[in-house]
Protein backbone atom coordinates (compact mmCIF):
# COMPACT_ATOMS: atom_id res chain seq x y z
CA UNK A 1 0.00 0.00 0.00
CA UNK A 2 1.23 3.48 -0.90
CA UNK A 3 -0.15 6.48 0.99
CA UNK A 4 -0.08 9.99 -0.45
CA UNK A 5 -1.43 12.97 1.50
CA UNK A 6 -2.40 16.23 -0.19
CA UNK A 7 -4.70 19.24 0.31
CA UNK A 8 -7.91 20.26 -1.42
CA UNK A 9 -8.50 23.85 -2.55
CA UNK A 10 -10.25 24.77 0.71
CA UNK A 11 -7.51 23.34 2.92
CA UNK A 12 -9.08 19.96 3.75
CA UNK A 13 -6.79 16.93 3.81
CA UNK A 14 -7.14 14.24 1.13
CA UNK A 15 -5.25 10.93 1.20
CA UNK A 16 -4.79 8.45 -1.65
CA UNK A 17 -4.28 4.78 -0.77
CA UNK A 18 -2.86 2.92 -3.76
CA UNK A 19 -2.26 -0.73 -4.50
CA UNK A 20 0.86 0.06 -6.57
CA UNK A 21 3.93 1.54 -4.88
CA UNK A 22 4.94 3.40 -8.04
CA UNK A 23 1.70 5.42 -8.31
CA UNK A 24 2.32 9.19 -8.41
CA UNK A 25 -0.36 11.61 -7.15
CA UNK A 26 0.33 15.22 -8.16
CA UNK A 27 -3.06 16.43 -9.47
CA UNK A 28 -4.17 19.72 -7.91
CA UNK A 29 -7.73 20.65 -6.90
CA UNK A 30 -8.71 23.27 -9.50
CA UNK A 31 -12.01 24.28 -7.91
CA UNK A 32 -12.40 27.89 -6.66
CA UNK A 33 -13.35 26.90 -3.10
CA UNK A 34 -13.31 29.12 -0.04
CA UNK A 35 -11.92 27.63 3.16
CA UNK A 36 -14.40 25.36 4.92
CA UNK A 37 -16.33 26.96 7.77
CA UNK A 38 -18.34 24.73 10.12
CA UNK A 39 -20.65 25.42 13.04
CA UNK A 40 -20.51 22.02 14.76
CA UNK A 41 -21.29 22.05 18.49
CA UNK A 42 -21.58 19.21 21.03
CA UNK A 43 -24.40 19.55 23.57
CA UNK A 44 -24.85 17.27 26.56
CA UNK A 45 -28.27 15.82 27.42
CA UNK A 46 -28.15 15.80 31.24
CA UNK A 47 -31.19 13.53 31.57
CA UNK A 48 -30.00 10.75 29.26
CA UNK A 49 -26.30 11.34 29.80
CA UNK A 50 -25.52 11.35 26.09
CA UNK A 51 -24.40 13.99 23.61
CA UNK A 52 -25.90 15.55 20.49
CA UNK A 53 -23.98 17.17 17.63
CA UNK A 54 -25.62 20.38 16.43
CA UNK A 55 -24.44 21.02 12.86
CA UNK A 56 -26.74 23.44 11.02
CA UNK A 57 -24.28 23.91 8.14
CA UNK A 58 -25.10 20.36 6.98
CA UNK A 59 -28.45 21.56 5.64
CA UNK A 60 -26.58 22.76 2.55
CA UNK A 61 -24.75 19.51 1.78
CA UNK A 62 -24.93 17.86 -1.65
CA UNK A 63 -28.19 15.95 -2.04
CA UNK A 64 -28.76 13.20 -4.63
CA UNK A 65 -26.82 14.74 -7.51
CA UNK A 66 -27.10 13.11 -10.96
CA UNK A 67 -24.42 10.50 -11.67
CA UNK A 68 -22.54 12.82 -14.01
CA UNK A 69 -22.18 15.37 -11.19
CA UNK A 70 -21.14 12.95 -8.44
CA UNK A 71 -18.54 14.65 -6.20
CA UNK A 72 -16.96 11.29 -5.29
CA UNK A 73 -16.07 10.26 -8.83
CA UNK A 74 -12.59 11.14 -10.10
CA UNK A 75 -12.00 14.45 -11.84
CA UNK A 76 -12.26 14.03 -15.61
CA UNK A 77 -11.34 16.97 -17.84
CA UNK A 78 -13.35 20.00 -16.74
CA UNK A 79 -15.70 17.90 -14.62
CA UNK A 80 -14.17 18.71 -11.24
CA UNK A 81 -14.87 16.72 -8.09
CA UNK A 82 -13.64 16.16 -4.54
CA UNK A 83 -10.93 13.87 -5.93
CA UNK A 84 -8.50 15.86 -8.14
CA UNK A 85 -6.94 12.85 -9.88
CA UNK A 86 -8.49 11.08 -12.88
CA UNK A 87 -8.56 7.68 -11.14
CA UNK A 88 -7.99 6.19 -7.70
CA UNK A 89 -8.01 2.96 -5.69
CA UNK A 90 -9.14 4.19 -2.25
CA UNK A 91 -9.40 7.82 -1.15
CA UNK A 92 -10.05 9.37 2.25
CA UNK A 93 -10.74 13.07 2.76
CA UNK A 94 -12.14 15.44 5.36
CA UNK A 95 -15.88 15.81 4.96
CA UNK A 96 -16.89 19.15 3.46
CA UNK A 97 -20.04 19.15 5.62
CA UNK A 98 -18.87 17.48 8.84
CA UNK A 99 -21.04 16.65 11.84
CA UNK A 100 -17.91 16.94 14.00
CA UNK A 101 -15.06 19.39 13.51
CA UNK A 102 -12.27 21.11 15.42
CA UNK A 103 -12.48 20.54 19.17
CA UNK A 104 -15.68 18.54 18.53
CA UNK A 105 -13.84 15.81 16.59
CA UNK A 106 -13.46 15.07 12.90
CA UNK A 107 -15.44 13.46 10.05
CA UNK A 108 -13.90 11.82 7.00
CA UNK A 109 -15.25 10.25 3.80
CA UNK A 110 -13.84 6.94 2.54
CA UNK A 111 -14.31 6.23 -1.19
CA UNK A 112 -13.96 2.48 -1.75
CA UNK A 113 -13.51 2.60 -5.53
CA UNK A 114 -13.64 5.07 -8.41
CA UNK A 115 -16.38 2.95 -10.07
CA UNK A 116 -19.60 4.89 -9.46
CA UNK A 117 -21.89 1.93 -10.19
CA UNK A 118 -20.10 -0.59 -7.99
CA UNK A 119 -20.72 -1.58 -4.38
CA UNK A 120 -18.40 -2.82 -1.64
CA UNK A 121 -19.58 -6.34 -2.46
CA UNK A 122 -18.24 -5.89 -6.01
CA UNK A 123 -14.67 -5.25 -4.86
CA UNK A 124 -11.92 -7.78 -5.37
CA UNK A 125 -10.23 -9.28 -2.34
CA UNK A 126 -7.21 -7.05 -2.99
CA UNK A 127 -9.39 -3.94 -3.09
CA UNK A 128 -11.25 -4.89 0.09
CA UNK A 129 -7.94 -5.46 1.87
CA UNK A 130 -6.84 -1.98 0.81
CA UNK A 131 -9.99 -0.52 2.39
CA UNK A 132 -9.23 -2.43 5.60
CA UNK A 133 -5.71 -1.01 5.57
CA UNK A 134 -7.09 2.50 5.05
CA UNK A 135 -9.54 2.08 7.96
CA UNK A 136 -6.65 0.89 10.12
CA UNK A 137 -4.36 3.75 9.13
CA UNK A 138 -7.04 6.37 9.75
CA UNK A 139 -7.88 4.82 13.13
CA UNK A 140 -4.22 5.16 14.09
CA UNK A 141 -3.88 8.74 12.85
CA UNK A 142 -7.16 10.01 14.31
CA UNK A 143 -6.56 8.37 17.68
CA UNK A 144 -3.59 10.71 18.18
CA UNK A 145 -5.63 13.89 17.80
CA UNK A 146 -5.97 15.50 21.26
CA UNK A 147 -9.74 15.95 20.94
CA UNK A 148 -10.49 12.34 19.89
CA UNK A 149 -11.58 9.56 22.26
CA UNK A 150 -13.20 7.07 19.89
CA UNK A 151 -12.90 6.26 16.16
CA UNK A 152 -15.91 4.85 14.30
CA UNK A 153 -15.57 3.48 10.75
CA UNK A 154 -18.88 2.72 9.04
CA UNK A 155 -20.76 2.44 5.76
CA UNK A 156 -24.33 3.49 5.04
CA UNK A 157 -25.71 2.01 1.82
CA UNK A 158 -29.03 2.77 0.15
CA UNK A 159 -31.44 5.69 -0.06
CA UNK A 160 -33.64 3.94 2.53
CA UNK A 161 -30.83 4.43 5.04
CA UNK A 162 -30.61 8.13 4.17
CA UNK A 163 -27.61 8.03 1.84
CA UNK A 164 -27.47 11.18 -0.32
CA UNK A 165 -24.57 10.15 -2.58
CA UNK A 166 -24.86 6.95 -4.60
CA UNK A 167 -21.12 6.41 -5.07
CA UNK A 168 -19.76 3.48 -2.98
CA UNK A 169 -18.31 5.12 0.11
CA UNK A 170 -18.27 5.08 3.88
CA UNK A 171 -17.38 7.48 6.65
CA UNK A 172 -15.19 7.76 9.72
CA UNK A 173 -16.32 9.71 12.78
CA UNK A 174 -13.70 10.65 15.37
CA UNK A 175 -15.68 11.48 18.50
CA UNK A 176 -14.46 13.67 21.38
CA UNK A 177 -16.19 11.30 23.82
CA UNK A 178 -17.00 7.63 24.32
CA UNK A 179 -20.25 6.96 22.47
CA UNK A 180 -23.33 5.89 24.49
CA UNK A 181 -23.55 2.49 22.81
CA UNK A 182 -19.92 1.71 23.62
CA UNK A 183 -20.39 2.95 27.18
CA UNK A 184 -23.26 0.47 27.62
CA UNK A 185 -20.99 -2.34 26.46
CA UNK A 186 -18.21 -1.25 28.82
CA UNK A 187 -20.59 -1.19 31.79
CA UNK A 188 -21.83 -4.66 30.89
CA UNK A 189 -18.22 -5.88 30.65
CA UNK A 190 -17.49 -4.45 34.11
CA UNK A 191 -20.58 -6.01 35.68
CA UNK A 192 -19.89 -9.42 34.14
CA UNK A 193 -16.25 -9.28 35.17
CA UNK A 194 -17.22 -8.63 38.78
CA UNK A 195 -20.01 -11.22 38.83
CA UNK A 196 -17.85 -14.02 37.39
CA UNK A 197 -14.56 -13.33 39.09
CA UNK A 198 -12.87 -11.96 36.00
CA UNK A 199 -14.40 -13.64 32.94
CA UNK A 200 -14.49 -11.52 29.79
CA UNK A 201 -18.04 -10.89 28.58
CA UNK A 202 -17.14 -10.80 24.89
CA UNK A 203 -15.40 -14.18 25.21
CA UNK A 204 -18.50 -15.61 26.87
CA UNK A 205 -20.81 -14.18 24.20
CA UNK A 206 -18.68 -15.45 21.32
CA UNK A 207 -18.47 -18.91 22.90
CA UNK A 208 -22.25 -19.06 23.30
CA UNK A 209 -23.07 -17.68 19.86
CA UNK A 210 -20.68 -19.94 17.95
CA UNK A 211 -22.14 -22.99 19.71
CA UNK A 212 -25.67 -22.17 18.53
CA UNK A 213 -27.51 -22.45 15.21
CA UNK A 214 -27.28 -18.75 14.37
CA UNK A 215 -23.78 -18.95 12.87
CA UNK A 216 -23.90 -17.72 9.27
CA UNK A 217 -20.36 -18.41 8.08
CA UNK A 218 -16.97 -19.18 9.57
CA UNK A 219 -13.33 -18.86 8.63
CA UNK A 220 -10.18 -19.80 10.46
CA UNK A 221 -9.85 -16.31 11.93
CA UNK A 222 -13.36 -14.79 11.66
CA UNK A 223 -16.90 -15.88 12.53
CA UNK A 224 -20.23 -14.27 11.57
CA UNK A 225 -23.48 -14.90 13.40
CA UNK A 226 -26.95 -13.48 13.96
CA UNK A 227 -26.99 -12.48 17.65
CA UNK A 228 -29.38 -14.12 20.11
CA UNK A 229 -31.14 -10.79 20.78
CA UNK A 230 -30.88 -9.26 17.30
CA UNK A 231 -32.51 -5.83 17.13
CA UNK A 232 -32.95 -5.81 13.36
CA UNK A 233 -34.69 -8.31 11.04
CA UNK A 234 -31.40 -9.25 9.38
CA UNK A 235 -28.42 -8.42 11.60
CA UNK A 236 -25.02 -10.13 11.57
CA UNK A 237 -22.06 -9.61 13.87
CA UNK A 238 -18.59 -10.37 12.52
CA UNK A 239 -15.85 -11.12 15.09
CA UNK A 240 -12.19 -12.05 14.84
CA UNK A 241 -11.77 -15.27 16.80
CA UNK A 242 -8.85 -13.75 18.70
CA UNK A 243 -10.10 -10.88 20.85
CA UNK A 244 -8.42 -7.55 20.01
CA UNK A 245 -9.51 -4.03 21.01
CA UNK A 246 -9.28 -2.35 17.60
CA UNK A 247 -8.31 -2.63 13.95
CA UNK A 248 -4.69 -1.81 14.79
CA UNK A 249 -4.33 -5.03 16.78
CA UNK A 250 -5.46 -7.45 14.04
CA UNK A 251 -2.67 -9.80 13.03
CA UNK A 252 -1.71 -10.49 9.43
CA UNK A 253 -3.60 -13.77 9.28
CA UNK A 254 -6.86 -12.08 10.24
CA UNK A 255 -6.24 -9.22 7.80
CA UNK A 256 -5.60 -11.66 4.99
CA UNK A 257 -8.78 -13.64 5.60
CA UNK A 258 -11.05 -10.64 6.21
CA UNK A 259 -11.84 -9.81 2.53
CA UNK A 260 -12.93 -13.36 1.79
CA UNK A 261 -15.33 -13.53 4.75
CA UNK A 262 -16.68 -9.98 4.58
CA UNK A 263 -17.29 -9.94 0.82
CA UNK A 264 -19.16 -13.24 1.08
CA UNK A 265 -21.28 -11.81 3.89
CA UNK A 266 -22.18 -8.68 1.89
CA UNK A 267 -23.07 -10.75 -1.17
CA UNK A 268 -25.41 -12.87 0.92
CA UNK A 269 -27.10 -9.72 2.17
CA UNK A 270 -27.76 -8.77 -1.44
CA UNK A 271 -29.22 -12.20 -2.18
CA UNK A 272 -31.64 -12.64 0.72
CA UNK A 273 -34.29 -10.46 -0.90
CA UNK A 274 -33.35 -10.99 -4.54
CA UNK A 275 -34.13 -14.69 -4.09
CA UNK A 276 -37.17 -14.16 -1.86
CA UNK A 277 -36.95 -13.99 1.92
CA UNK A 278 -39.51 -16.76 2.48
CA UNK A 279 -41.46 -14.73 5.04
CA UNK A 280 -43.50 -12.35 2.88
CA UNK A 281 -47.16 -13.00 2.14
CA UNK A 282 -46.45 -12.79 -1.58
CA UNK A 283 -43.83 -15.54 -1.53
CA UNK A 284 -40.64 -15.04 -3.54
CA UNK A 285 -38.97 -11.66 -3.89
CA UNK A 286 -38.44 -10.20 -7.33
CA UNK A 287 -35.25 -11.15 -9.14
CA UNK A 288 -34.55 -7.47 -9.80
CA UNK A 289 -34.96 -6.48 -6.12
CA UNK A 290 -32.73 -3.42 -5.45
CA UNK A 291 -29.51 -3.96 -3.56
CA UNK A 292 -30.15 -4.47 0.13
CA UNK A 293 -29.80 -1.23 2.13
CA UNK A 294 -27.55 -1.70 5.13
CA UNK A 295 -25.36 -0.17 7.80
CA UNK A 296 -21.96 -1.75 8.47
CA UNK A 297 -20.39 -0.47 11.70
CA UNK A 298 -17.00 -1.21 13.23
CA UNK A 299 -16.98 -1.19 17.03
CA UNK A 300 -13.56 -0.37 18.49
CA UNK A 301 -12.39 0.29 22.04
CA UNK A 302 -12.20 3.99 22.97
CA UNK A 303 -8.78 5.59 23.17
CA UNK A 304 -9.80 7.82 26.07
CA UNK A 305 -9.66 7.10 29.79
CA UNK A 306 -11.89 4.27 31.08
CA UNK A 307 -11.74 4.95 34.84
CA UNK A 308 -15.51 5.26 35.12
CA UNK A 309 -15.98 1.66 33.99
CA UNK A 310 -14.77 -0.10 37.15
CA UNK A 311 -11.49 -1.70 36.19
CA UNK A 312 -12.23 -2.29 32.51
CA UNK A 313 -9.26 -1.82 30.17
CA UNK A 314 -9.09 -1.40 26.40
CA UNK A 315 -8.00 -5.04 26.13
CA UNK A 316 -11.31 -6.16 27.64
CA UNK A 317 -13.15 -4.80 24.59
CA UNK A 318 -13.59 -6.89 21.45
CA UNK A 319 -13.33 -5.38 18.00
CA UNK A 320 -16.30 -6.44 15.89
CA UNK A 321 -18.40 -5.35 12.95
CA UNK A 322 -22.20 -5.12 13.09
CA UNK A 323 -24.01 -5.39 9.76
CA UNK A 324 -27.76 -4.90 9.53
CA UNK A 325 -30.51 -3.89 7.15
CA UNK A 326 -33.69 -1.94 7.81
CA UNK A 327 -35.54 -4.11 5.27
CA UNK A 328 -37.65 -6.79 6.97
CA UNK A 329 -39.01 -8.50 3.86
CA UNK A 330 -39.20 -7.86 0.13
CA UNK A 331 -40.55 -4.35 -0.42
CA UNK A 332 -41.08 -3.65 3.30
CA UNK A 333 -38.93 -1.67 5.72
CA UNK A 334 -38.51 -1.92 9.47
CA UNK A 335 -39.51 1.49 10.84
CA UNK A 336 -38.45 2.66 14.28
CA UNK A 337 -41.81 3.63 15.70
CA UNK A 338 -43.15 4.25 19.21
CA UNK A 339 -41.43 1.52 21.21
CA UNK A 340 -38.11 1.73 19.38
CA UNK A 341 -37.82 5.52 18.99
CA UNK A 342 -39.69 6.48 22.14
CA UNK A 343 -38.32 3.91 24.58
CA UNK A 344 -35.41 2.23 22.75
CA UNK A 345 -37.12 -1.15 23.07
CA UNK A 346 -36.79 -2.96 19.74
CA UNK A 347 -39.39 -5.35 18.39
CA UNK A 348 -37.98 -7.77 15.82
CA UNK A 349 -40.38 -9.38 13.33
CA UNK A 350 -37.87 -12.00 12.12
CA UNK A 351 -36.62 -14.64 14.60
CA UNK A 352 -32.80 -14.56 14.67
CA UNK A 353 -32.67 -18.29 13.99
CA UNK A 354 -34.73 -17.84 10.82
CA UNK A 355 -32.56 -14.93 9.69
CA UNK A 356 -29.41 -17.04 10.14
CA UNK A 357 -31.01 -19.89 8.23
CA UNK A 358 -31.85 -17.62 5.29
CA UNK A 359 -28.33 -16.19 5.21
CA UNK A 360 -26.87 -19.69 5.15
CA UNK A 361 -29.21 -20.71 2.34
CA UNK A 362 -28.17 -17.89 0.00
CA UNK A 363 -24.46 -18.64 -0.16
CA UNK A 364 -23.19 -16.66 -3.14
CA UNK A 365 -22.12 -18.53 -6.24
Amino acid sequence: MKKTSTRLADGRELIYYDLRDDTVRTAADRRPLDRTVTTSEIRRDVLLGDSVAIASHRQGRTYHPPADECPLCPTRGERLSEIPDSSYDVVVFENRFPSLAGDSGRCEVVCFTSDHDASFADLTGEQARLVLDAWTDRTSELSHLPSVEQVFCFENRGEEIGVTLGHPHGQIYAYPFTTPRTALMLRSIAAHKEATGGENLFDAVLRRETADRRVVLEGEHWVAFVPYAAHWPYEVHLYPRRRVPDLLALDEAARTEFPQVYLELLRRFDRIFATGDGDSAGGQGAADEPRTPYIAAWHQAPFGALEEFDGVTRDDFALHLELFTIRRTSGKLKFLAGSESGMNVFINDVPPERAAERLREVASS
Side-chain angles (χ1 to χ4, degrees), residues 320-348:
H320 62 284
L321 182 141
E322 297 184 7
L323 173 69
F324 61 90
T325 178
I326 62 170
R327 187 174 291 167
R328 57 186 176 88
T329 188
S330 296
K332 297 179 181 178
L333 300 181
K334 164 65 178 176
F335 292 102
L336 300 189
S339 185
E340 291 90 352
S341 294
M343 283 297 176
N344 202 29
V345 178
F346 276 67
I347 300 169
N348 191 349

Side-chain angles (χ1 to χ4, degrees), residues 269-333:
F269 254 59
D270 273 343
R271 290 169 62 88
I272 52 176
F273 300 112
T275 59
D277 60 21
D279 294 317
S280 62
Q284 298 298 303
D288 61 349
E289 186 81 32
R291 285 171 166 167
T292 300
Y294 65 71
I295 293 175
W298 280 110
H299 291 264
Q300 306 191 77
F303 291 94
L306 299 179
E307 286 84 358
E308 64 179 289
F309 300 107
D310 300 325
V312 172
T313 69
R314 293 192 78 249
D315 289 336
D316 289 320
F317 196 87
L319 167 77
H320 62 284
L321 182 141
E322 297 184 7
L323 173 69
F324 61 90
T325 178
I326 62 170
R327 187 174 291 167
R328 57 186 176 88
T329 188
S330 296
K332 297 179 181 178
L333 300 181

Side-chain angles (χ1 to χ4, degrees), residues 193-223:
K193 198 173 186 178
E194 181 178 3
T196 60
E199 182 185 47
N200 182 272
L201 178 58
F202 279 110
D203 291 350
V205 167
L206 190 59
R207 185 169 59 250
R208 182 186 73 179
E209 296 286 14
T210 53
D212 215 314
R213 57 194 177 99
R214 293 181 306 278
V215 172
V216 174
L217 60 89
E218 300 181 83
E220 182 180 354
H221 304 284
W222 295 86
V223 59

